[in-house]
Amino acid sequence: MKAVVLGAGIAGLLAARVLADRCTEVVLVERDSLEAGWRRGVPQGRHLHGLLDRGRTVLEELFPGFTGEAAARGATTAEALVGTRWYLGGARLAATPTGLTSVMATRPLLEAVVRERVLAMPGVRSHTGTVRALVGDAGAVRGVRVTDGTADPAVGDVELTADLVVDATGRGSRAPQWLTDLGFPAPAEERLEVDLGYASALFPRTEGQLDNQSSVIISTGPDGRGGGAIRVEGDRWHVTLAGMLGDHPPTDPTGFTAFAATIAAPDIHALVDGIAPLGEITPHRFRSPLRRRYERLRTVPAGFLVLGDALCSFNPLYAQGMAVAAQQALVLRDCLTAGTTNPDLPARFYAAASAVVDVAWRLSAGSDLANPGVEGTRTVRTRLTNAYVARAHRAAHADPLVARTFLRVGNLVDPPAALLRPTLARRILLPRSANGANEPTG
Ligand SMILES: Cc1cc2nc3c(=O)[nH]c(=O)nc-3n(C[C@H](O)[C@H](O)[C@H](O)COP(=O)(O)OP(=O)(O)OC[C@H]3O[C@@H](n4cnc5c(N)ncnc54)[C@H](O)[C@@H]3O)c2cc1C
């Protein structure tokens, strides 16, 4: 079997990784040249990219030794609540072992570690060019048309044939249009308007800052402002400030520092105040999480599926995108194990992937809807969940078990229902009576 994967971002690389076990040939088509460093095709790569522990463990499974390799190339690793600081609602979560490991690096470093491992696999090769259209007929996709970035313009487009085409071109995926062009329906889309603004830069790090802890995350408060700083390769801080609903952080150093002073805890401001950034402060505007409901389509062509941000692009505040892309790669692997040539492969994939996406989508959309300024339908379930989560936040400041469980759920390691277990519910709903005597348990 031959597969063509469109886009060599995290999702495309991971799809290629699992396809390489089943295919004689996997071609990764990417419009950018795949060199180290920031890439034009991934503008979000200049902003803080936290890797949730669920994503890290999938990467370990697919690339044994991933964490150690990233660390050897300069990434920082730390116990998620001991080596790092988390603020929720302006107060710090109880510092306690969680069993989670944070890997802190720039997105280009994370991507390079993954890419080099994928491209070293037998049968995998990259092809530089921009995908323009799917090639196929009313029953199946049989390839793609690519404008070859390196070719003589006189040569024009090339066609790459494949038994399976996987679209991982990210949020801006043109797959809905490509499908329509072939006579198939496009998926319904769900969005939530958050109008989030990011501003990010690298700063020099000096010994002793943050008491030598490796990161600080200050979750957005009721005013929609927050930020994070992680220690990345080259002994630098990668600092991102964020503001929701149009209240975006400035990109001039003075404005950036002033914005940092307004967020709910002083730690990030202390890292940037009076210190010149190493290069420009870069903005990014993210208007809305976007979920494309491919699993609801009655007809999808054989030989084509969509994953990663092209399937669901999450609010970056919750750092879910790479981990959910990794989970989708495992879903694809399992679907391929059950049969590579079966024409219902895409439908099976979408059904299983939507279950994975659902968990993360509910967590993040629920949190977004806790902000009264975000427009959207708040069901009774959403309101009750958010009232409970608000109490969990408060309990997590003093109670290590609640803090630990909260972080494990947020890292997609434990299911959200873990916060509802009777021991937890008692500590969350009756924090005073539960505190003190109770020590964290496994
Ligand atoms: C501001 C911001 C911050 C984020 N922070 C985090 C975080 O902290 N943690 C986290 O896990 N996730 C984060 N994310 C999400 C994360 O970036 C994505 O979920 C993750 O990169 C997986 O995306 P992807 O591979 O599907 O798409 P992308 O990373 O966008 O990659 C798509 C690739 O396809 C290529 N491409 C596009 N169109 C074509 C075409 N026509 N032909 C050829 N190639 C094409 C692009 O050049 C690119 O290489 C953040 C996102 C944003 C916007």
Side-chain angles (χ1 to χ4, degrees):
M1 179 163 109
K2 176 180 174 184
V4 172
V5 177
L6 318 181
I10 297 290
L13 292 168
L14 298 179
R17 162 67 189 82
V18 300
L19 284 162
D21 288 340
R22 298 266 156 197
C23 299
T24 46
E25 192 180 357
V26 180
V27 184
L28 257 170
V29 185
E30 169 58 50
R31 62 187 174 190
D32 277 351
S33 74
L34 293 175
E35 287 148 14
W38 315 116
R39 293 200 287 116
R40 260 187 82 204
V42 185
Q44 76 269 30
R46 288 182 178 270
H47 302 270
L48 191 155
H49 263 61
L51 177 62
L52 297 184
D53 197 54
R54 180 70 181 122
R56 186 191 68 80
T57 54
V58 174
L59 289 177
E60 270 299 329
E61 189 177 337
L62 296 176
F63 309 101
F66 165 81
T67 309
E69 196 178 331
R73 292 169 68 159
T76 315
T77 59
E79 201 331 301
L81 257 185
V82 178
T84 74
R85 297 179 184 185
W86 271 86
Y87 289 89
L88 274 177
R92 194 164 156 190
L93 291 188
T96 184
T98 56
L100 307 169
T101 301
S102 296
V103 177
M104 287 156 280
T106 61
R107 154 85 187 236
L109 177 64
L110 293 174
E111 198 177 282
V113 173
V114 173
R115 186 172 59 234
E116 287 165 25
R117 294 282 287 266
V118 172
L119 291 177
M121 292 185 76
V124 179
R125 67 180 172 90
S126 65
H127 179 107
T128 306
T130 300
V131 181
R132 297 286 181 211
L134 299 176
V135 177
D137 52 39
V141 169
R142 308 197 188 280
V144 284
R145 213 173 64 235
V146 178
T147 302
D148 199 325
T150 55
D152 178 344
V155 175
D157 290 354
V158 293
E159 261 185 35
L160 300 175
T161 54
D163 303 295
L164 180 65
V165 174
V166 175
D167 175 29
T169 53
R171 180 186 170 88
S173 161
R174 305 259 304 134
Q177 183 61 49
W178 294 339
L179 286 173
T180 311
D181 293 344
L182 281 185
F184 289 94
E189 294 187 349
E190 281 175 27
R191 295 170 191 265
L192 211 52
E193 296 301 321
V194 295
D195 196 359
L196 176 70
Y198 266 28
S200 303
L202 293 160
F203 286 82
R205 177 186 168 275
T206 48
E207 211 46 34
Q209 283 177 311
L210 273 191
D211 296 331
N212 288 329
Q213 287 182 302
S214 318
S215 79
V216 53
I217 304 294
I218 304 171
S219 298
T220 48
D223 63 356
R225 291 186 173 196
I230 61 173
R231 182 183 172 182
V232 298
E233 69 273 16
D235 208 11
R236 299 165 296 173
W237 294 112
H238 197 175
V239 179
T240 286
L241 300 179
M244 286 176 72
L245 300 171
D247 175 30
H248 298 168
T251 52
D252 64 288
T254 309
F256 187 84
T257 307
F259 191 97
T262 67
I263 57 180
D267 309 44
I268 295 177
H269 182 250
L271 296 180
V272 301
D273 189 23
I275 299 170
L278 303 164
E280 285 186 0
I281 301 173
T282 311
H284 189 97
R285 187 172 187 182
F286 181 93
R287 287 177 185 271
S288 56
L290 168 62
R291 186 171 182 185
R292 297 192 173 103
R293 293 292 196 159
Y294 283 94
E295 76 280 7
R296 292 186 179 165
L297 288 173
R298 290 226 177 121
T299 340
V300 290
F304 179 71
L305 55 85
V306 176
L307 52 63
D309 277 17
L311 186 63
C312 186
S313 147
F314 296 93
N315 183 335
L317 284 175
Y318 312 107
Q320 297 169 318
M322 295 189 293
V324 179
Q327 290 178 294
Q328 289 170 23
L330 293 191
V331 168
L332 177 59
R333 181 191 64 184
D334 295 345
C335 289
L336 292 168
T337 306
T340 48
T341 51
N342 195 327
D344 75 351
L345 174 72
R348 281 188 287 123
F349 170 78
Y350 291 134
S354 93
V356 162
V357 169
D358 258 349
V359 174
W361 181 260
R362 283 212 190 109
L363 283 170
S364 55
S367 298
D368 286 339
L369 289 169
N371 183 323
V374 172
E375 282 179 27
T377 311
R378 289 164 178 82
T379 59
V380 174
R381 180 180 165 168
T382 313
R383 288 176 198 278
L384 285 174
T385 305
N386 280 339
Y388 186 76
V389 169
R391 296 186 79 137
H393 286 183
R394 286 197 291 278
H397 298 144
D399 187 329
L401 182 60
V402 179
R404 170 192 155 92
T405 310
F406 187 81
L407 221 66
R408 290 179 65 84
V409 170
N411 272 268
L412 305 176
V413 170
D414 287 347
L419 279 164
L420 297 171
R421 286 200 309 257
T423 27
L424 263 292
R426 192 163 39 87
R427 298 169 85 120
I428 288 168
L429 297 173
L430 304 166
R432 280 197 200 87
S433 66
N435 274 346
N438 295 328
E439 286 305 314
T441 58

mmCIF file of all heavy atoms in Angstrom, residues 48 85 87 199 203 209-210 215-219 225-230 237-242 256-257 259-275:
data_model
loop_
_atom_site.group_PDB
_atom_site.id
_atom_site.type_symbol
_atom_site.label_atom_id
_atom_site.label_comp_id
_atom_site.label_asym_id
_atom_site.label_seq_id
_atom_site.Cartn_x
_atom_site.Cartn_y
_atom_site.Cartn_z
ATOM 1 N N LEU A 48 4.393 29.615 22.694
ATOM 2 C CA LEU A 48 4.638 28.549 23.665
ATOM 3 C C LEU A 48 3.830 27.296 23.299
ATOM 4 O O LEU A 48 2.626 27.371 23.078
ATOM 5 C CB LEU A 48 4.231 29.081 25.037
ATOM 6 C CG LEU A 48 4.611 28.290 26.286
ATOM 7 C CD1 LEU A 48 4.675 29.241 27.470
ATOM 8 C CD2 LEU A 48 3.642 27.179 26.557
ATOM 9 N N ARG A 85 5.226 25.833 38.207
ATOM 10 C CA ARG A 85 4.208 26.541 39.018
ATOM 11 C C ARG A 85 2.946 26.716 38.199
ATOM 12 O O ARG A 85 3.002 27.157 37.050
ATOM 13 C CB ARG A 85 4.684 27.950 39.378
ATOM 14 C CG ARG A 85 5.906 27.960 40.215
ATOM 15 C CD ARG A 85 6.303 29.409 40.487
ATOM 16 N NE ARG A 85 7.545 29.410 41.231
ATOM 17 C CZ ARG A 85 8.110 30.500 41.714
ATOM 18 N NH1 ARG A 85 7.540 31.684 41.523
ATOM 19 N NH2 ARG A 85 9.232 30.428 42.383
ATOM 20 N N TYR A 87 -0.869 28.511 38.344
ATOM 21 C CA TYR A 87 -1.831 29.394 39.021
ATOM 22 C C TYR A 87 -3.193 29.246 38.360
ATOM 23 O O TYR A 87 -3.314 29.277 37.136
ATOM 24 C CB TYR A 87 -1.405 30.859 38.900
ATOM 25 C CG TYR A 87 -0.192 31.211 39.714
ATOM 26 C CD1 TYR A 87 1.083 31.077 39.181
ATOM 27 C CD2 TYR A 87 -0.313 31.696 41.008
ATOM 28 C CE1 TYR A 87 2.208 31.407 39.923
ATOM 29 C CE2 TYR A 87 0.801 32.044 41.759
ATOM 30 C CZ TYR A 87 2.063 31.889 41.206
ATOM 31 O OH TYR A 87 3.172 32.228 41.937
ATOM 32 N N ALA A 199 0.929 36.995 22.390
ATOM 33 C CA ALA A 199 2.175 37.687 22.034
ATOM 34 C C ALA A 199 3.287 36.914 22.725
ATOM 35 O O ALA A 199 3.170 36.600 23.918
ATOM 36 C CB ALA A 199 2.155 39.138 22.490
ATOM 37 N N PHE A 203 13.300 35.134 26.101
ATOM 38 C CA PHE A 203 14.041 36.008 27.003
ATOM 39 C C PHE A 203 15.208 35.231 27.580
ATOM 40 O O PHE A 203 15.119 34.003 27.757
ATOM 41 C CB PHE A 203 13.146 36.489 28.168
ATOM 42 C CG PHE A 203 12.149 37.533 27.764
ATOM 43 C CD1 PHE A 203 10.948 37.180 27.168
ATOM 44 C CD2 PHE A 203 12.422 38.889 27.970
ATOM 45 C CE1 PHE A 203 10.024 38.142 26.786
ATOM 46 C CE2 PHE A 203 11.508 39.859 27.591
ATOM 47 C CZ PHE A 203 10.306 39.492 26.993
ATOM 48 N N GLN A 209 16.196 32.414 38.912
ATOM 49 C CA GLN A 209 14.849 32.924 38.582
ATOM 50 C C GLN A 209 13.814 31.836 38.856
ATOM 51 O O GLN A 209 14.091 30.642 38.664
ATOM 52 C CB GLN A 209 14.783 33.327 37.104
ATOM 53 C CG GLN A 209 15.445 34.659 36.801
ATOM 54 C CD GLN A 209 15.403 34.946 35.299
ATOM 55 O OE1 GLN A 209 15.759 34.095 34.498
ATOM 56 N NE2 GLN A 209 14.979 36.151 34.937
ATOM 57 N N LEU A 210 12.654 32.214 39.270
ATOM 58 C CA LEU A 210 11.556 31.282 39.585
ATOM 59 C C LEU A 210 12.016 30.205 40.561
ATOM 60 O O LEU A 210 11.548 29.063 40.491
ATOM 61 C CB LEU A 210 11.043 30.579 38.319
ATOM 62 C CG LEU A 210 9.979 31.180 37.436
ATOM 63 C CD1 LEU A 210 9.510 30.120 36.431
ATOM 64 C CD2 LEU A 210 8.778 31.675 38.213
ATOM 65 N N SER A 215 8.993 26.249 34.842
ATOM 66 C CA SER A 215 7.939 26.951 34.109
ATOM 67 C C SER A 215 6.921 27.543 35.065
ATOM 68 O O SER A 215 6.829 27.141 36.234
ATOM 69 C CB SER A 215 7.226 26.011 33.130
ATOM 70 O OG SER A 215 6.301 25.194 33.795
ATOM 71 N N VAL A 216 6.186 28.490 34.544
ATOM 72 C CA VAL A 216 5.048 29.028 35.291
ATOM 73 C C VAL A 216 3.896 29.213 34.307
ATOM 74 O O VAL A 216 4.083 29.728 33.208
ATOM 75 C CB VAL A 216 5.392 30.344 36.023
ATOM 76 C CG1 VAL A 216 6.004 31.384 35.083
ATOM 77 C CG2 VAL A 216 4.149 30.932 36.688
ATOM 78 N N ILE A 217 2.737 28.712 34.685
ATOM 79 C CA ILE A 217 1.539 28.889 33.874
ATOM 80 C C ILE A 217 0.525 29.652 34.728
ATOM 81 O O ILE A 217 0.210 29.235 35.853
ATOM 82 C CB ILE A 217 0.916 27.529 33.467
ATOM 83 C CG1 ILE A 217 1.943 26.641 32.741
ATOM 84 C CG2 ILE A 217 -0.344 27.738 32.611
ATOM 85 C CD1 ILE A 217 2.417 27.142 31.401
ATOM 86 N N ILE A 218 0.069 30.774 34.209
ATOM 87 C CA ILE A 218 -0.935 31.571 34.925
ATOM 88 C C ILE A 218 -2.205 31.545 34.071
ATOM 89 O O ILE A 218 -2.279 32.205 33.029
ATOM 90 C CB ILE A 218 -0.430 33.011 35.164
ATOM 91 C CG1 ILE A 218 0.921 32.957 35.910
ATOM 92 C CG2 ILE A 218 -1.468 33.830 35.924
ATOM 93 C CD1 ILE A 218 1.631 34.293 36.027
ATOM 94 N N SER A 219 -3.155 30.713 34.486
ATOM 95 C CA SER A 219 -4.356 30.524 33.667
ATOM 96 C C SER A 219 -5.143 31.817 33.561
ATOM 97 O O SER A 219 -5.138 32.639 34.488
ATOM 98 C CB SER A 219 -5.241 29.442 34.283
ATOM 99 O OG SER A 219 -4.543 28.235 34.299
ATOM 100 N N ARG A 225 -7.209 37.397 30.851
ATOM 101 C CA ARG A 225 -5.765 37.552 30.650
ATOM 102 C C ARG A 225 -4.994 36.453 31.372
ATOM 103 O O ARG A 225 -5.370 36.042 32.465
ATOM 104 C CB ARG A 225 -5.290 38.907 31.176
ATOM 105 C CG ARG A 225 -5.793 40.063 30.358
ATOM 106 C CD ARG A 225 -5.177 41.375 30.837
ATOM 107 N NE ARG A 225 -5.536 42.457 29.935
ATOM 108 C CZ ARG A 225 -4.929 43.636 29.899
ATOM 109 N NH1 ARG A 225 -3.929 43.898 30.721
ATOM 110 N NH2 ARG A 225 -5.314 44.565 29.036
ATOM 111 N N GLY A 226 -3.911 36.000 30.747
ATOM 112 C CA GLY A 226 -3.072 34.991 31.376
ATOM 113 C C GLY A 226 -1.744 34.900 30.645
ATOM 114 O O GLY A 226 -1.427 35.739 29.793
ATOM 115 N N GLY A 227 -0.979 33.871 30.968
ATOM 116 C CA GLY A 227 0.310 33.724 30.285
ATOM 117 C C GLY A 227 1.081 32.527 30.782
ATOM 118 O O GLY A 227 0.643 31.817 31.706
ATOM 119 N N GLY A 228 2.207 32.309 30.143
ATOM 120 C CA GLY A 228 3.062 31.198 30.547
ATOM 121 C C GLY A 228 4.506 31.500 30.190
ATOM 122 O O GLY A 228 4.784 32.311 29.295
ATOM 123 N N ALA A 229 5.401 30.867 30.919
ATOM 124 C CA ALA A 229 6.833 30.961 30.598
ATOM 125 C C ALA A 229 7.427 29.589 30.848
ATOM 126 O O ALA A 229 7.200 29.002 31.913
ATOM 127 C CB ALA A 229 7.520 32.011 31.476
ATOM 128 N N ILE A 230 8.132 29.061 29.850
ATOM 129 C CA ILE A 230 8.776 27.755 30.034
ATOM 130 C C ILE A 230 10.249 27.879 29.676
ATOM 131 O O ILE A 230 10.639 28.668 28.821
ATOM 132 C CB ILE A 230 8.108 26.648 29.174
ATOM 133 C CG1 ILE A 230 8.190 26.956 27.675
ATOM 134 C CG2 ILE A 230 6.650 26.439 29.583
ATOM 135 C CD1 ILE A 230 7.692 25.823 26.779
ATOM 136 N N TRP A 237 13.877 31.632 28.342
ATOM 137 C CA TRP A 237 12.453 31.552 28.663
ATOM 138 C C TRP A 237 11.671 31.785 27.398
ATOM 139 O O TRP A 237 11.935 32.750 26.677
ATOM 140 C CB TRP A 237 12.031 32.609 29.688
ATOM 141 C CG TRP A 237 12.618 32.445 31.042
ATOM 142 C CD1 TRP A 237 13.523 33.276 31.635
ATOM 143 C CD2 TRP A 237 12.324 31.411 31.990
ATOM 144 N NE1 TRP A 237 13.824 32.814 32.901
ATOM 145 C CE2 TRP A 237 13.110 31.663 33.137
ATOM 146 C CE3 TRP A 237 11.495 30.291 31.979
ATOM 147 C CZ2 TRP A 237 13.077 30.852 34.260
ATOM 148 C CZ3 TRP A 237 11.465 29.467 33.096
ATOM 149 C CH2 TRP A 237 12.246 29.755 34.223
ATOM 150 N N HIS A 238 10.723 30.914 27.122
ATOM 151 C CA HIS A 238 9.767 31.201 26.055
ATOM 152 C C HIS A 238 8.520 31.722 26.760
ATOM 153 O O HIS A 238 7.863 30.985 27.499
ATOM 154 C CB HIS A 238 9.450 29.925 25.253
ATOM 155 C CG HIS A 238 8.824 30.213 23.925
ATOM 156 N ND1 HIS A 238 8.542 29.236 23.009
ATOM 157 C CD2 HIS A 238 8.438 31.376 23.342
ATOM 158 C CE1 HIS A 238 7.999 29.783 21.935
ATOM 159 N NE2 HIS A 238 7.928 31.076 22.124
ATOM 160 N N VAL A 239 8.253 33.001 26.549
ATOM 161 C CA VAL A 239 7.162 33.665 27.282
ATOM 162 C C VAL A 239 6.012 33.973 26.316
ATOM 163 O O VAL A 239 6.227 34.542 25.247
ATOM 164 C CB VAL A 239 7.657 34.979 27.927
ATOM 165 C CG1 VAL A 239 6.516 35.679 28.657
ATOM 166 C CG2 VAL A 239 8.827 34.707 28.866
ATOM 167 N N THR A 240 4.820 33.589 26.711
ATOM 168 C CA THR A 240 3.621 33.920 25.941
ATOM 169 C C THR A 240 2.628 34.621 26.860
ATOM 170 O O THR A 240 2.363 34.159 27.971
ATOM 171 C CB THR A 240 2.958 32.641 25.371
ATOM 172 O OG1 THR A 240 3.743 32.160 24.277
ATOM 173 C CG2 THR A 240 1.552 32.911 24.850
ATOM 174 N N LEU A 241 2.102 35.755 26.396
ATOM 175 C CA LEU A 241 1.005 36.421 27.103
ATOM 176 C C LEU A 241 -0.260 36.250 26.256
ATOM 177 O O LEU A 241 -0.176 36.187 25.023
ATOM 178 C CB LEU A 241 1.297 37.908 27.295
ATOM 179 C CG LEU A 241 2.552 38.250 28.104
ATOM 180 C CD1 LEU A 241 2.726 39.768 28.182
ATOM 181 C CD2 LEU A 241 2.478 37.637 29.507
ATOM 182 N N ALA A 242 -1.393 36.158 26.923
ATOM 183 C CA ALA A 242 -2.639 35.890 26.201
ATOM 184 C C ALA A 242 -3.765 36.756 26.729
ATOM 185 O O ALA A 242 -3.822 37.069 27.924
ATOM 186 C CB ALA A 242 -3.015 34.416 26.360
ATOM 187 N N PHE A 256 4.247 45.088 26.354
ATOM 188 C CA PHE A 256 4.279 43.667 26.717
ATOM 189 C C PHE A 256 4.509 43.525 28.225
ATOM 190 O O PHE A 256 3.800 42.799 28.925
ATOM 191 C CB PHE A 256 5.408 42.997 25.920
ATOM 192 C CG PHE A 256 5.497 41.496 26.037
ATOM 193 C CD1 PHE A 256 4.723 40.671 25.238
ATOM 194 C CD2 PHE A 256 6.390 40.904 26.937
ATOM 195 C CE1 PHE A 256 4.830 39.275 25.315
ATOM 196 C CE2 PHE A 256 6.505 39.516 27.028
ATOM 197 C CZ PHE A 256 5.716 38.703 26.214
ATOM 198 N N THR A 257 5.502 44.263 28.724
ATOM 199 C CA THR A 257 5.820 44.193 30.155
ATOM 200 C C THR A 257 4.654 44.726 30.993
ATOM 201 O O THR A 257 4.304 44.155 32.038
ATOM 202 C CB THR A 257 7.103 45.007 30.455
ATOM 203 O OG1 THR A 257 8.126 44.547 29.573
ATOM 204 C CG2 THR A 257 7.565 44.831 31.877
ATOM 205 N N PHE A 259 1.494 44.664 30.198
ATOM 206 C CA PHE A 259 0.424 43.651 30.173
ATOM 207 C C PHE A 259 0.753 42.533 31.161
ATOM 208 O O PHE A 259 -0.109 42.063 31.914
ATOM 209 C CB PHE A 259 0.291 43.088 28.747
ATOM 210 C CG PHE A 259 -0.926 42.235 28.509
ATOM 211 C CD1 PHE A 259 -2.077 42.777 27.931
ATOM 212 C CD2 PHE A 259 -0.930 40.884 28.829
ATOM 213 C CE1 PHE A 259 -3.203 41.987 27.683
ATOM 214 C CE2 PHE A 259 -2.048 40.080 28.593
ATOM 215 C CZ PHE A 259 -3.185 40.634 28.013
ATOM 216 N N ALA A 260 2.043 42.127 31.176
ATOM 217 C CA ALA A 260 2.458 41.037 32.095
ATOM 218 C C ALA A 260 2.175 41.431 33.547
ATOM 219 O O ALA A 260 1.882 40.573 34.386
ATOM 220 C CB ALA A 260 3.935 40.714 31.896
ATOM 221 N N ALA A 261 2.262 42.748 33.826
ATOM 222 C CA ALA A 261 2.032 43.207 35.206
ATOM 223 C C ALA A 261 0.569 43.087 35.608
ATOM 224 O O ALA A 261 0.245 43.124 36.800
ATOM 225 C CB ALA A 261 2.500 44.657 35.348
ATOM 226 N N THR A 262 -0.320 42.932 34.624
ATOM 227 C CA THR A 262 -1.752 42.928 34.956
ATOM 228 C C THR A 262 -2.316 41.524 35.162
ATOM 229 O O THR A 262 -3.468 41.387 35.578
ATOM 230 C CB THR A 262 -2.580 43.586 33.824
ATOM 231 O OG1 THR A 262 -2.495 42.755 32.655
ATOM 232 C CG2 THR A 262 -2.095 44.983 33.510
ATOM 233 N N ILE A 263 -1.544 40.491 34.813
ATOM 234 C CA ILE A 263 -2.129 39.150 34.953
ATOM 235 C C ILE A 263 -2.066 38.704 36.421
ATOM 236 O O ILE A 263 -1.385 39.305 37.237
ATOM 237 C CB ILE A 263 -1.517 38.124 33.976
ATOM 238 C CG1 ILE A 263 -0.021 38.014 34.133
ATOM 239 C CG2 ILE A 263 -1.869 38.461 32.548
ATOM 240 C CD1 ILE A 263 0.606 37.013 33.169
ATOM 241 N N ALA A 264 -2.798 37.630 36.710
ATOM 242 C CA ALA A 264 -3.194 37.348 38.096
ATOM 243 C C ALA A 264 -2.065 37.003 39.069
ATOM 244 O O ALA A 264 -2.304 36.983 40.276
ATOM 245 C CB ALA A 264 -4.232 36.223 38.089
ATOM 246 N N ALA A 265 -0.860 36.716 38.576
ATOM 247 C CA ALA A 265 0.267 36.456 39.490
ATOM 248 C C ALA A 265 1.508 37.156 38.926
ATOM 249 O O ALA A 265 1.604 37.355 37.709
ATOM 250 C CB ALA A 265 0.503 34.948 39.616
ATOM 251 N N PRO A 266 2.448 37.554 39.796
ATOM 252 C CA PRO A 266 3.544 38.419 39.337
ATOM 253 C C PRO A 266 4.723 37.687 38.678
ATOM 254 O O PRO A 266 5.655 38.325 38.188
ATOM 255 C CB PRO A 266 4.014 39.070 40.651
ATOM 256 C CG PRO A 266 3.675 38.071 41.717
ATOM 257 C CD PRO A 266 2.455 37.337 41.242
ATOM 258 N N ASP A 267 4.709 36.366 38.649
ATOM 259 C CA ASP A 267 5.910 35.609 38.285
ATOM 260 C C ASP A 267 6.434 35.903 36.869
ATOM 261 O O ASP A 267 7.645 35.989 36.653
ATOM 262 C CB ASP A 267 5.646 34.100 38.408
ATOM 263 C CG ASP A 267 5.047 33.725 39.739
ATOM 264 O OD1 ASP A 267 4.124 34.430 40.191
ATOM 265 O OD2 ASP A 267 5.478 32.722 40.322
ATOM 266 N N ILE A 268 5.512 36.013 35.905
ATOM 267 C CA ILE A 268 5.970 36.247 34.523
ATOM 268 C C ILE A 268 6.497 37.671 34.391
ATOM 269 O O ILE A 268 7.541 37.906 33.763
ATOM 270 C CB ILE A 268 4.833 35.969 33.519
ATOM 271 C CG1 ILE A 268 4.466 34.474 33.572
ATOM 272 C CG2 ILE A 268 5.246 36.367 32.106
ATOM 273 C CD1 ILE A 268 3.309 34.078 32.678
ATOM 274 N N HIS A 269 5.810 38.596 35.024
ATOM 275 C CA HIS A 269 6.283 39.986 34.987
ATOM 276 C C HIS A 269 7.721 40.060 35.515
ATOM 277 O O HIS A 269 8.575 40.734 34.934
ATOM 278 C CB HIS A 269 5.347 40.877 35.810
ATOM 279 C CG HIS A 269 5.747 42.313 35.783
ATOM 280 N ND1 HIS A 269 6.270 42.956 36.884
ATOM 281 C CD2 HIS A 269 5.743 43.218 34.776
ATOM 282 C CE1 HIS A 269 6.558 44.211 36.563
ATOM 283 N NE2 HIS A 269 6.241 44.392 35.295
ATOM 284 N N ALA A 270 7.999 39.302 36.573
ATOM 285 C CA ALA A 270 9.352 39.328 37.151
ATOM 286 C C ALA A 270 10.388 38.802 36.154
ATOM 287 O O ALA A 270 11.557 39.193 36.201
ATOM 288 C CB ALA A 270 9.389 38.484 38.429
ATOM 289 N N LEU A 271 9.982 37.925 35.245
ATOM 290 C CA LEU A 271 10.939 37.366 34.274
ATOM 291 C C LEU A 271 11.244 38.315 33.122
ATOM 292 O O LEU A 271 12.258 38.158 32.435
ATOM 293 C CB LEU A 271 10.400 36.049 33.691
ATOM 294 C CG LEU A 271 10.201 34.877 34.654
ATOM 295 C CD1 LEU A 271 9.666 33.661 33.896
ATOM 296 C CD2 LEU A 271 11.516 34.524 35.346
ATOM 297 N N VAL A 272 10.325 39.279 32.868
ATOM 298 C CA VAL A 272 10.503 40.121 31.681
ATOM 299 C C VAL A 272 10.761 41.591 32.016
ATOM 300 O O VAL A 272 11.245 42.343 31.168
ATOM 301 C CB VAL A 272 9.273 40.027 30.737
ATOM 302 C CG1 VAL A 272 9.048 38.588 30.295
ATOM 303 C CG2 VAL A 272 8.002 40.585 31.381
ATOM 304 N N ASP A 273 10.466 41.968 33.250
ATOM 305 C CA ASP A 273 10.573 43.393 33.616
ATOM 306 C C ASP A 273 12.030 43.858 33.527
ATOM 307 O O ASP A 273 12.909 43.298 34.193
ATOM 308 C CB ASP A 273 10.038 43.589 35.047
ATOM 309 C CG ASP A 273 9.911 45.066 35.401
ATOM 310 O OD1 ASP A 273 9.805 45.890 34.462
ATOM 311 O OD2 ASP A 273 9.934 45.388 36.602
ATOM 312 N N GLY A 274 12.268 44.856 32.685
ATOM 313 C CA GLY A 274 13.614 45.430 32.552
ATOM 314 C C GLY A 274 14.559 44.553 31.746
ATOM 315 O O GLY A 274 15.760 44.840 31.683
ATOM 316 N N ILE A 275 14.063 43.501 31.136
ATOM 317 C CA ILE A 275 14.935 42.588 30.377
ATOM 318 C C ILE A 275 14.535 42.627 28.904
ATOM 319 O O ILE A 275 13.347 42.475 28.562
ATOM 320 C CB ILE A 275 14.828 41.142 30.931
ATOM 321 C CG1 ILE A 275 15.271 41.144 32.389
ATOM 322 C CG2 ILE A 275 15.675 40.173 30.102
ATOM 323 C CD1 ILE A 275 15.013 39.871 33.129
#
